[in-house]
Amino acid sequence: MNNEEISTQEEKPKRNIWNLVLGIVFIGYGSFRLYQKMQTSEPDSFGLILAIGFIAFGIYDLWKYYKGV
């Protein structure tokens, strides 16, 4: 192997499948909770913040997966 082959193999980021799975789960659960909170007559602010936090953490996990961090 020459140096070019080694450098192309090292450039591939190792993707953790758990970041993908957890990202999808957190986005799905956060969206479901956000939908439920919006359908009630009195949405509580803590529940909304928690649901938005789940969605944000899911987006962060998906970003980590695609960046290979």
Side-chain angles (χ1 to χ4, degrees):
M1 286 196 295
N2 58 21
N3 289 339
E4 292 176 10
E5 291 179 21
I6 293 172
S7 65
T8 57
Q9 290 175 353
E10 292 175 1
E11 291 176 6
K12 285 185 177 180
K14 185 179 179 191
R15 294 183 173 177
N16 188 356
I17 193 72
W18 284 108
N19 286 338
L20 176 65
V21 171
L22 289 176
I24 292 170
V25 168
F26 282 138
I27 289 175
Y29 180 72
S31 298
F32 174 70
R33 294 297 296 171
L34 188 63
Y35 174 76
Q36 278 186 335
K37 295 295 177 187
M38 290 302 197
Q39 296 301 317
T40 61
S41 60
E42 293 182 19
D44 59 333
S45 59
F46 180 72
L48 290 175
I49 291 170
L50 194 60
I52 292 170
F54 272 110
I55 293 170
F57 192 66
I59 291 170
Y60 174 69
D61 271 343
L62 290 178
W63 176 80
K64 282 192 324 186
Y65 175 75
Y66 286 113
K67 290 297 266 188
V69 175

